[in-house]
Amino acid sequence: MKVLFVSPEVAPFAKTGGLADVTGAMPKELDKLGVEVKIMMPGYSIIDKNKFKIKKIKGDFSVYVGGKSKSGTISKCKIGRKIEVIFVNNKEYFDRDGLYGDKNGDYPDNLQRFTFFCKGILEVLKVIGWKPDIIHCHDWQVGLVPAYLKTIYRSDTFYQNISSVFTIHNMAHQGNFTTDLYYIIGLGWEEFVFDKIEFHGKFSLIKAGIVYSNIITTVSESYSREIQTSEFGFGLEGVLKWRSDDLYGIVNGIDYNVWSPGKDGYIEHKYNLKTIKNKAANKRKLLEICGLAIDKDLEVPLIGFISRLAEQKGLDLIEECIEELMGFELQLVVLGTGEEKYETMLKSICEKYPKKISLNLKFDEELAHLIYAGSDMFLMPSKFEPCGLGQLISLKYGTVPIVHKTGGLADTIEEFDLDENSGNGFVFESYLSIELISTIERALSLYKDKKAWKTLVSNCMKSDFSWKASGKKYIELYEK
Ligand code: ADP
């Protein structure tokens, strides 16, 4: 079976969040299971071509974007055992500092950029002479691929019998555009109808992915149910219900070659369950780097928070209770970028408690690894969470997750029960700051019981969220 992965971001080349982790890791598992898989992504200029040994290959192509011919070039490299990663290049569209936008917001020509990419994907397949059985599309930026397969590319025999799978990583990001821009994507007006691409007088690329693909997946079972409700469907719950027979929830895994404290190239003091004592050296280093107070025995619990600073991630709850939390015996390391109001809120609290809270307003892969390794607990109070990778990574590092029971967090984290010796974290059900506070208090209180804490950490590190099981589920779907 041949499968092409298409995504606007893929780790380790370009990453803004969990999507890149998934599209960088899942192909390796599929490859192991016997699928012939290739990946295509935009050739962003920020990608380090030397580091990844990316080489240009023959075969320029051109596509129409808004009625104008735009040319592209192709380059490629390999990851894993033999997986080809193909970069679709165009300087006008991808020679920028960001993936989707800058401090002023989204790039105003994102529609042109991803129209180019989607058409480019289909053209490049012809150039390289490789016909996949399935194109597996990830998120709205590639929602036009299933649409093109069923419309303007349908009559070309090369594309016949190519099926598409569309995976939703977050319903909140939809790629909706106003009608005056419709000419850019090159679809006929017969597609601009309510059961196709039209969406409340606009058109929507995520809806295109949902409507035109053969099968739709999302990244946890709970989220696949939640997005069929008005609370989490962001207006597309009706379409999702209509396609519910073809909608599946498969929980993400993580790549334990990248995320394992025993072989993590970013951390100096490696450890596993047997050598868990070494975790403390990471904590010390993290406290030093962050300029936080260091007590002799490192007894003060350290909570890590690595996240986009957006309401989705529970920042409104944190804002409500951060002052009260600062009254507890704990320290907090925050790593993230995002909405200005949350950056401002965190800056002011950090100025007030500089030895208790460390604020790192940046995207920093190395620091992220050290926070997972050095923290005692990991905070993830998301309002909604399609899957979430932060809690899965922190489990592997013996860093106990504190989460809101929603989406993938509900599917992967279970409240610790000392009597039963079950569970791998702390969970709150109602999205309220008082619930968050009492859950953190529960965690702090158990932390004092060294023996119980050790049991919990061991449960965390034994949780298995490798791609093995989920990879098999995807193959079952592909076969369908
Ligand atoms: P998202 O909704 O942002 O995709 P996930 O939990 O699924 O959330 O994945 C987030 C991924 O991005 C994790 O690998 C996390 O470690 C990483 N990440 C988030 N913010 C930062 C940051 N500021 N610096 C480094 N890594 C980050």
Side-chain angles (χ1 to χ4, degrees), residues 153-202:
Y153 282 81
R154 191 180 47 189
S155 53
D156 187 327
T157 51
F158 182 85
Y159 301 99
Q160 280 165 9
N161 310 322
I162 299 182
S163 304
S164 59
V165 174
F166 183 68
T167 295
I168 299 164
H169 292 261
N170 196 330
M171 280 306 298
H173 305 293
Q174 303 194 331
N176 299 336
F177 297 91
T178 48
T179 324
D180 55 317
L181 301 175
Y182 189 63
Y183 72 99
I184 288 168
I185 62 175
L187 289 181
W189 283 102
E190 66 280 7
E191 307 302 318
F192 194 88
V193 286
F194 82 97
D195 55 352
K196 290 187 173 167
I197 200 169
E198 188 272 343
F199 184 47
H200 296 295
K202 296 182 175 182

Short mmCIF file of all heavy atoms in Angstrom, two decimals, residues 153-202:
data_model
loop_
_atom_site.label_atom_id
_atom_site.label_comp_id
_atom_site.label_asym_id
_atom_site.label_seq_id
_atom_site.Cartn_x
_atom_site.Cartn_y
_atom_site.Cartn_z
N TYR A 153 -9.28 17.65 -10.84
CA TYR A 153 -8.31 16.62 -11.23
C TYR A 153 -8.99 15.27 -11.51
O TYR A 153 -8.34 14.29 -11.81
CB TYR A 153 -7.24 16.44 -10.14
CG TYR A 153 -6.18 17.54 -10.16
CD1 TYR A 153 -6.41 18.78 -9.57
CD2 TYR A 153 -4.95 17.35 -10.80
CE1 TYR A 153 -5.46 19.79 -9.60
CE2 TYR A 153 -3.98 18.36 -10.84
CZ TYR A 153 -4.25 19.57 -10.24
OH TYR A 153 -3.30 20.57 -10.28
N ARG A 154 -10.32 15.25 -11.42
CA ARG A 154 -11.03 13.98 -11.50
C ARG A 154 -10.92 13.31 -12.88
O ARG A 154 -10.82 12.10 -13.01
CB ARG A 154 -12.51 14.21 -11.16
CG ARG A 154 -13.30 12.93 -10.96
CD ARG A 154 -14.73 13.21 -10.64
NE ARG A 154 -15.28 14.22 -11.57
CZ ARG A 154 -16.46 14.79 -11.43
NH1 ARG A 154 -17.20 14.50 -10.40
NH2 ARG A 154 -16.88 15.68 -12.31
N SER A 155 -10.92 14.14 -13.92
CA SER A 155 -10.95 13.56 -15.27
C SER A 155 -9.57 13.09 -15.73
O SER A 155 -9.45 12.43 -16.75
CB SER A 155 -11.52 14.58 -16.25
OG SER A 155 -10.80 15.77 -16.10
N ASP A 156 -8.53 13.40 -14.97
CA ASP A 156 -7.18 12.96 -15.33
C ASP A 156 -6.96 11.54 -14.79
O ASP A 156 -7.04 11.32 -13.58
CB ASP A 156 -6.16 13.93 -14.71
CG ASP A 156 -4.75 13.65 -15.15
OD1 ASP A 156 -4.42 12.47 -15.38
OD2 ASP A 156 -3.97 14.61 -15.27
N THR A 157 -6.70 10.61 -15.68
CA THR A 157 -6.62 9.20 -15.25
C THR A 157 -5.56 8.96 -14.18
O THR A 157 -5.69 8.06 -13.36
CB THR A 157 -6.33 8.26 -16.44
OG1 THR A 157 -5.19 8.78 -17.12
CG2 THR A 157 -7.52 8.14 -17.36
N PHE A 158 -4.51 9.80 -14.17
CA PHE A 158 -3.46 9.60 -13.17
C PHE A 158 -4.02 9.66 -11.75
O PHE A 158 -3.57 8.95 -10.85
CB PHE A 158 -2.36 10.67 -13.33
CG PHE A 158 -1.22 10.52 -12.36
CD1 PHE A 158 -0.16 9.67 -12.63
CD2 PHE A 158 -1.20 11.22 -11.14
CE1 PHE A 158 0.89 9.51 -11.73
CE2 PHE A 158 -0.15 11.07 -10.23
CZ PHE A 158 0.89 10.21 -10.53
N TYR A 159 -5.03 10.50 -11.55
CA TYR A 159 -5.53 10.73 -10.17
C TYR A 159 -6.72 9.84 -9.82
O TYR A 159 -7.19 9.84 -8.68
CB TYR A 159 -5.89 12.21 -9.98
CG TYR A 159 -4.70 13.10 -10.23
CD1 TYR A 159 -4.53 13.74 -11.46
CD2 TYR A 159 -3.71 13.24 -9.27
CE1 TYR A 159 -3.41 14.52 -11.72
CE2 TYR A 159 -2.58 14.02 -9.52
CZ TYR A 159 -2.45 14.65 -10.74
OH TYR A 159 -1.34 15.41 -10.98
N GLN A 160 -7.23 9.12 -10.84
CA GLN A 160 -8.37 8.27 -10.54
C GLN A 160 -7.93 7.15 -9.61
O GLN A 160 -6.80 6.69 -9.67
CB GLN A 160 -8.96 7.72 -11.84
CG GLN A 160 -9.85 8.78 -12.50
CD GLN A 160 -10.19 8.48 -13.94
OE1 GLN A 160 -9.92 7.39 -14.44
NE2 GLN A 160 -10.79 9.46 -14.61
N ASN A 161 -8.81 6.74 -8.74
CA ASN A 161 -8.53 5.70 -7.73
C ASN A 161 -7.60 6.14 -6.62
O ASN A 161 -7.15 5.31 -5.83
CB ASN A 161 -7.97 4.41 -8.35
CG ASN A 161 -8.79 3.94 -9.51
OD1 ASN A 161 -10.01 4.04 -9.46
ND2 ASN A 161 -8.15 3.47 -10.56
N ILE A 162 -7.24 7.40 -6.56
CA ILE A 162 -6.50 7.84 -5.36
C ILE A 162 -7.56 8.28 -4.34
O ILE A 162 -8.39 9.13 -4.63
CB ILE A 162 -5.57 9.04 -5.65
CG1 ILE A 162 -4.49 8.66 -6.69
CG2 ILE A 162 -4.90 9.52 -4.36
CD1 ILE A 162 -3.49 9.77 -7.00
N SER A 163 -7.55 7.63 -3.18
CA SER A 163 -8.51 8.01 -2.12
C SER A 163 -7.87 9.02 -1.18
O SER A 163 -6.65 9.18 -1.19
CB SER A 163 -8.91 6.79 -1.31
OG SER A 163 -9.43 5.79 -2.16
N SER A 164 -8.71 9.64 -0.37
CA SER A 164 -8.13 10.61 0.58
C SER A 164 -8.67 10.39 1.99
O SER A 164 -9.83 10.02 2.19
CB SER A 164 -8.42 12.04 0.12
OG SER A 164 -9.80 12.23 0.03
N VAL A 165 -7.78 10.60 2.94
CA VAL A 165 -8.14 10.60 4.36
C VAL A 165 -7.85 12.00 4.85
O VAL A 165 -6.80 12.57 4.53
CB VAL A 165 -7.29 9.59 5.16
CG1 VAL A 165 -7.57 9.70 6.65
CG2 VAL A 165 -7.55 8.17 4.68
N PHE A 166 -8.79 12.58 5.60
CA PHE A 166 -8.56 13.93 6.12
C PHE A 166 -8.56 13.85 7.64
O PHE A 166 -9.53 13.40 8.25
CB PHE A 166 -9.68 14.86 5.65
CG PHE A 166 -9.48 16.30 6.08
CD1 PHE A 166 -8.45 17.07 5.56
CD2 PHE A 166 -10.33 16.87 7.03
CE1 PHE A 166 -8.26 18.38 5.96
CE2 PHE A 166 -10.15 18.20 7.44
CZ PHE A 166 -9.11 18.95 6.90
N THR A 167 -7.45 14.26 8.26
CA THR A 167 -7.37 14.23 9.73
C THR A 167 -7.50 15.64 10.29
O THR A 167 -6.77 16.55 9.89
CB THR A 167 -6.06 13.57 10.19
OG1 THR A 167 -6.07 12.21 9.78
CG2 THR A 167 -5.93 13.61 11.71
N ILE A 168 -8.45 15.76 11.22
CA ILE A 168 -8.69 17.04 11.90
C ILE A 168 -7.85 17.07 13.18
O ILE A 168 -8.07 16.25 14.07
CB ILE A 168 -10.18 17.18 12.26
CG1 ILE A 168 -11.05 17.15 11.00
CG2 ILE A 168 -10.42 18.45 13.07
CD1 ILE A 168 -12.52 16.89 11.30
N HIS A 169 -6.94 18.01 13.26
CA HIS A 169 -6.13 18.13 14.48
C HIS A 169 -6.70 19.19 15.42
O HIS A 169 -6.34 19.23 16.60
CB HIS A 169 -4.67 18.46 14.13
CG HIS A 169 -3.99 17.31 13.43
ND1 HIS A 169 -3.17 16.44 14.08
CD2 HIS A 169 -4.05 16.88 12.15
CE1 HIS A 169 -2.73 15.52 13.22
NE2 HIS A 169 -3.26 15.77 12.04
N ASN A 170 -7.54 20.09 14.89
CA ASN A 170 -8.15 21.10 15.75
C ASN A 170 -9.28 21.79 15.00
O ASN A 170 -9.04 22.46 14.00
CB ASN A 170 -7.10 22.12 16.18
CG ASN A 170 -7.57 22.95 17.37
OD1 ASN A 170 -8.77 23.19 17.53
ND2 ASN A 170 -6.64 23.38 18.20
N MET A 171 -10.52 21.62 15.48
CA MET A 171 -11.67 22.23 14.80
C MET A 171 -11.67 23.76 14.89
O MET A 171 -12.40 24.42 14.16
CB MET A 171 -12.99 21.73 15.42
CG MET A 171 -13.43 20.37 14.96
SD MET A 171 -13.56 20.16 13.18
CE MET A 171 -14.80 21.33 12.74
N ALA A 172 -10.89 24.28 15.82
CA ALA A 172 -10.90 25.74 16.02
C ALA A 172 -10.16 26.46 14.89
O ALA A 172 -10.34 27.66 14.70
CB ALA A 172 -10.27 26.08 17.36
N HIS A 173 -9.35 25.74 14.15
CA HIS A 173 -8.61 26.36 13.05
C HIS A 173 -9.19 25.85 11.74
O HIS A 173 -9.01 24.70 11.39
CB HIS A 173 -7.12 26.04 13.16
CG HIS A 173 -6.55 26.44 14.49
ND1 HIS A 173 -6.44 27.76 14.89
CD2 HIS A 173 -6.08 25.71 15.52
CE1 HIS A 173 -5.94 27.81 16.10
NE2 HIS A 173 -5.72 26.58 16.53
N GLN A 174 -9.92 26.73 11.03
CA GLN A 174 -10.77 26.23 9.95
C GLN A 174 -10.36 26.68 8.55
O GLN A 174 -10.79 26.10 7.57
CB GLN A 174 -12.21 26.68 10.20
CG GLN A 174 -12.73 26.21 11.55
CD GLN A 174 -14.22 26.33 11.69
OE1 GLN A 174 -14.83 27.21 11.08
NE2 GLN A 174 -14.81 25.48 12.48
N GLY A 175 -9.62 27.75 8.44
CA GLY A 175 -9.29 28.25 7.09
C GLY A 175 -10.55 28.72 6.36
O GLY A 175 -10.89 28.20 5.30
N ASN A 176 -11.26 29.68 6.97
CA ASN A 176 -12.46 30.24 6.33
C ASN A 176 -12.11 31.54 5.63
O ASN A 176 -11.39 32.37 6.19
CB ASN A 176 -13.55 30.50 7.38
CG ASN A 176 -13.96 29.22 8.08
OD1 ASN A 176 -13.80 28.13 7.53
ND2 ASN A 176 -14.48 29.34 9.29
N PHE A 177 -12.64 31.73 4.42
CA PHE A 177 -12.29 32.92 3.64
C PHE A 177 -13.54 33.51 3.00
O PHE A 177 -14.52 32.79 2.74
CB PHE A 177 -11.27 32.55 2.55
CG PHE A 177 -9.96 32.05 3.12
CD1 PHE A 177 -9.76 30.69 3.35
CD2 PHE A 177 -8.95 32.94 3.48
CE1 PHE A 177 -8.57 30.22 3.90
CE2 PHE A 177 -7.76 32.48 4.03
CZ PHE A 177 -7.56 31.12 4.24
N THR A 178 -13.47 34.81 2.71
CA THR A 178 -14.64 35.49 2.15
C THR A 178 -14.78 35.22 0.65
O THR A 178 -13.81 34.93 -0.04
CB THR A 178 -14.55 37.01 2.39
OG1 THR A 178 -13.23 37.44 1.99
CG2 THR A 178 -14.75 37.36 3.85
N THR A 179 -16.02 35.36 0.17
CA THR A 179 -16.37 34.99 -1.21
C THR A 179 -15.52 35.69 -2.27
O THR A 179 -15.25 35.12 -3.31
CB THR A 179 -17.84 35.37 -1.47
OG1 THR A 179 -18.56 35.13 -0.28
CG2 THR A 179 -18.43 34.58 -2.60
N ASP A 180 -15.12 36.94 -1.99
CA ASP A 180 -14.34 37.67 -3.00
C ASP A 180 -13.00 36.97 -3.30
O ASP A 180 -12.36 37.25 -4.30
CB ASP A 180 -14.11 39.13 -2.56
CG ASP A 180 -13.46 39.20 -1.18
OD1 ASP A 180 -13.88 38.43 -0.29
OD2 ASP A 180 -12.52 39.98 -0.99
N LEU A 181 -12.59 36.06 -2.43
CA LEU A 181 -11.33 35.34 -2.65
C LEU A 181 -11.53 33.97 -3.31
O LEU A 181 -10.58 33.25 -3.55
CB LEU A 181 -10.59 35.16 -1.30
CG LEU A 181 -10.25 36.44 -0.54
CD1 LEU A 181 -9.65 36.10 0.81
CD2 LEU A 181 -9.28 37.30 -1.36
N TYR A 182 -12.80 33.66 -3.59
CA TYR A 182 -13.10 32.30 -4.07
C TYR A 182 -12.38 31.97 -5.37
O TYR A 182 -11.96 30.84 -5.61
CB TYR A 182 -14.62 32.14 -4.23
CG TYR A 182 -15.05 30.72 -4.50
CD1 TYR A 182 -14.84 29.72 -3.56
CD2 TYR A 182 -15.67 30.36 -5.71
CE1 TYR A 182 -15.22 28.40 -3.80
CE2 TYR A 182 -16.05 29.05 -5.96
CZ TYR A 182 -15.82 28.08 -5.01
OH TYR A 182 -16.20 26.77 -5.25
N TYR A 183 -12.20 33.01 -6.22
CA TYR A 183 -11.55 32.78 -7.53
C TYR A 183 -10.13 32.21 -7.36
O TYR A 183 -9.61 31.54 -8.25
CB TYR A 183 -11.49 34.09 -8.34
CG TYR A 183 -10.47 35.07 -7.81
CD1 TYR A 183 -9.21 35.17 -8.40
CD2 TYR A 183 -10.75 35.88 -6.71
CE1 TYR A 183 -8.26 36.05 -7.90
CE2 TYR A 183 -9.80 36.75 -6.21
CZ TYR A 183 -8.55 36.83 -6.80
OH TYR A 183 -7.61 37.68 -6.29
N ILE A 184 -9.51 32.44 -6.19
CA ILE A 184 -8.11 32.04 -6.00
C ILE A 184 -7.95 30.51 -6.07
O ILE A 184 -6.98 30.00 -6.63
CB ILE A 184 -7.58 32.59 -4.65
CG1 ILE A 184 -7.39 34.09 -4.79
CG2 ILE A 184 -6.26 31.92 -4.24
CD1 ILE A 184 -7.15 34.82 -3.49
N ILE A 185 -8.93 29.79 -5.51
CA ILE A 185 -8.74 28.33 -5.40
C ILE A 185 -9.10 27.60 -6.70
O ILE A 185 -8.74 26.44 -6.87
CB ILE A 185 -9.52 27.73 -4.20
CG1 ILE A 185 -11.02 27.93 -4.35
CG2 ILE A 185 -9.03 28.36 -2.90
CD1 ILE A 185 -11.82 27.25 -3.23
N GLY A 186 -9.82 28.29 -7.59
CA GLY A 186 -10.05 27.70 -8.92
C GLY A 186 -11.15 26.65 -8.99
O GLY A 186 -11.24 25.92 -9.97
N LEU A 187 -12.00 26.55 -7.96
CA LEU A 187 -13.13 25.62 -8.05
C LEU A 187 -14.32 26.33 -8.69
O LEU A 187 -14.46 27.55 -8.60
CB LEU A 187 -13.54 25.13 -6.65
CG LEU A 187 -12.61 24.17 -5.93
CD1 LEU A 187 -13.20 23.79 -4.57
CD2 LEU A 187 -12.35 22.91 -6.75
N GLY A 188 -15.20 25.54 -9.34
CA GLY A 188 -16.38 26.13 -9.96
C GLY A 188 -17.41 26.56 -8.92
O GLY A 188 -17.36 26.11 -7.76
N TRP A 189 -18.35 27.41 -9.35
CA TRP A 189 -19.37 27.90 -8.41
C TRP A 189 -20.34 26.80 -7.99
O TRP A 189 -21.02 26.92 -6.98
CB TRP A 189 -20.13 29.10 -9.00
CG TRP A 189 -19.29 30.34 -8.91
CD1 TRP A 189 -18.58 30.92 -9.91
CD2 TRP A 189 -19.02 31.12 -7.73
NE1 TRP A 189 -17.88 32.01 -9.44
CE2 TRP A 189 -18.14 32.16 -8.10
CE3 TRP A 189 -19.43 31.04 -6.40
CZ2 TRP A 189 -17.67 33.11 -7.20
CZ3 TRP A 189 -18.97 31.99 -5.50
CH2 TRP A 189 -18.10 33.01 -5.91
N GLU A 190 -20.39 25.70 -8.77
CA GLU A 190 -21.28 24.59 -8.38
C GLU A 190 -20.81 23.94 -7.07
O GLU A 190 -21.57 23.26 -6.40
CB GLU A 190 -21.41 23.55 -9.51
CG GLU A 190 -20.15 22.77 -9.86
CD GLU A 190 -19.17 23.54 -10.77
OE1 GLU A 190 -19.40 24.72 -11.03
OE2 GLU A 190 -18.16 22.93 -11.18
N GLU A 191 -19.56 24.18 -6.70
CA GLU A 191 -19.05 23.65 -5.42
C GLU A 191 -19.39 24.58 -4.25
O GLU A 191 -19.28 24.20 -3.09
CB GLU A 191 -17.52 23.45 -5.46
CG GLU A 191 -17.01 22.63 -6.64
CD GLU A 191 -17.60 21.24 -6.72
OE1 GLU A 191 -17.74 20.59 -5.67
OE2 GLU A 191 -17.95 20.82 -7.85
N PHE A 192 -19.76 25.81 -4.60
CA PHE A 192 -20.03 26.81 -3.55
C PHE A 192 -21.47 26.64 -3.06
O PHE A 192 -22.33 27.51 -3.20
CB PHE A 192 -19.79 28.22 -4.11
CG PHE A 192 -19.72 29.28 -3.04
CD1 PHE A 192 -18.52 29.58 -2.42
CD2 PHE A 192 -20.86 29.98 -2.63
CE1 PHE A 192 -18.45 30.56 -1.43
CE2 PHE A 192 -20.81 30.94 -1.63
CZ PHE A 192 -19.60 31.23 -1.03
N VAL A 193 -21.75 25.47 -2.47
CA VAL A 193 -23.10 25.19 -1.96
C VAL A 193 -22.98 24.63 -0.55
O VAL A 193 -21.90 24.20 -0.14
CB VAL A 193 -23.85 24.18 -2.88
CG1 VAL A 193 -24.30 24.86 -4.16
CG2 VAL A 193 -22.98 22.96 -3.19
N PHE A 194 -24.09 24.62 0.16
CA PHE A 194 -24.03 24.33 1.60
C PHE A 194 -23.52 22.93 1.93
O PHE A 194 -22.93 22.70 2.97
CB PHE A 194 -25.41 24.58 2.25
CG PHE A 194 -26.37 23.44 2.08
CD1 PHE A 194 -26.53 22.49 3.09
CD2 PHE A 194 -27.10 23.28 0.91
CE1 PHE A 194 -27.39 21.42 2.93
CE2 PHE A 194 -27.96 22.21 0.75
CZ PHE A 194 -28.10 21.27 1.76
N ASP A 195 -23.76 21.96 1.02
CA ASP A 195 -23.26 20.61 1.33
C ASP A 195 -21.89 20.36 0.69
O ASP A 195 -21.43 19.23 0.61
CB ASP A 195 -24.27 19.53 0.93
CG ASP A 195 -24.68 19.62 -0.52
OD1 ASP A 195 -24.29 20.60 -1.19
OD2 ASP A 195 -25.38 18.70 -1.00
N LYS A 196 -21.24 21.43 0.26
CA LYS A 196 -19.86 21.30 -0.21
C LYS A 196 -18.98 22.32 0.51
O LYS A 196 -18.85 22.26 1.72
CB LYS A 196 -19.81 21.41 -1.73
CG LYS A 196 -20.45 20.16 -2.36
CD LYS A 196 -20.29 20.11 -3.83
CE LYS A 196 -20.79 18.76 -4.37
NZ LYS A 196 -20.94 18.80 -5.81
N ILE A 197 -18.46 23.32 -0.19
CA ILE A 197 -17.42 24.15 0.44
C ILE A 197 -17.96 25.44 1.09
O ILE A 197 -17.29 26.08 1.90
CB ILE A 197 -16.32 24.47 -0.60
CG1 ILE A 197 -15.03 24.89 0.10
CG2 ILE A 197 -16.78 25.48 -1.63
CD1 ILE A 197 -13.83 24.95 -0.83
N GLU A 198 -19.21 25.80 0.74
CA GLU A 198 -19.77 27.04 1.29
C GLU A 198 -19.99 26.89 2.80
O GLU A 198 -20.36 25.82 3.29
CB GLU A 198 -21.10 27.34 0.57
CG GLU A 198 -21.71 28.68 0.91
CD GLU A 198 -22.62 28.68 2.13
OE1 GLU A 198 -23.06 27.59 2.58
OE2 GLU A 198 -22.87 29.77 2.66
N PHE A 199 -19.74 27.99 3.53
CA PHE A 199 -19.92 27.93 4.99
C PHE A 199 -20.35 29.31 5.47
O PHE A 199 -19.54 30.23 5.53
CB PHE A 199 -18.59 27.50 5.63
CG PHE A 199 -18.66 27.30 7.12
CD1 PHE A 199 -19.68 26.57 7.71
CD2 PHE A 199 -17.67 27.83 7.94
CE1 PHE A 199 -19.73 26.38 9.08
CE2 PHE A 199 -17.71 27.66 9.32
CZ PHE A 199 -18.75 26.92 9.89
N HIS A 200 -21.64 29.44 5.75
CA HIS A 200 -22.21 30.71 6.22
C HIS A 200 -21.79 31.89 5.35
O HIS A 200 -21.30 32.90 5.85
CB HIS A 200 -21.82 30.96 7.68
CG HIS A 200 -22.37 29.93 8.61
ND1 HIS A 200 -23.71 29.76 8.83
CD2 HIS A 200 -21.74 28.98 9.34
CE1 HIS A 200 -23.90 28.76 9.67
NE2 HIS A 200 -22.72 28.26 9.99
N GLY A 201 -21.98 31.74 4.04
CA GLY A 201 -21.69 32.85 3.12
C GLY A 201 -20.21 32.99 2.80
O GLY A 201 -19.83 33.79 1.95
N LYS A 202 -19.37 32.23 3.50
CA LYS A 202 -17.93 32.22 3.17
C LYS A 202 -17.61 30.84 2.57
O LYS A 202 -18.51 30.07 2.28
CB LYS A 202 -17.10 32.42 4.44
CG LYS A 202 -17.30 33.75 5.10
CD LYS A 202 -16.39 33.84 6.30
CE LYS A 202 -16.46 35.21 6.94
NZ LYS A 202 -15.54 35.30 8.07
#
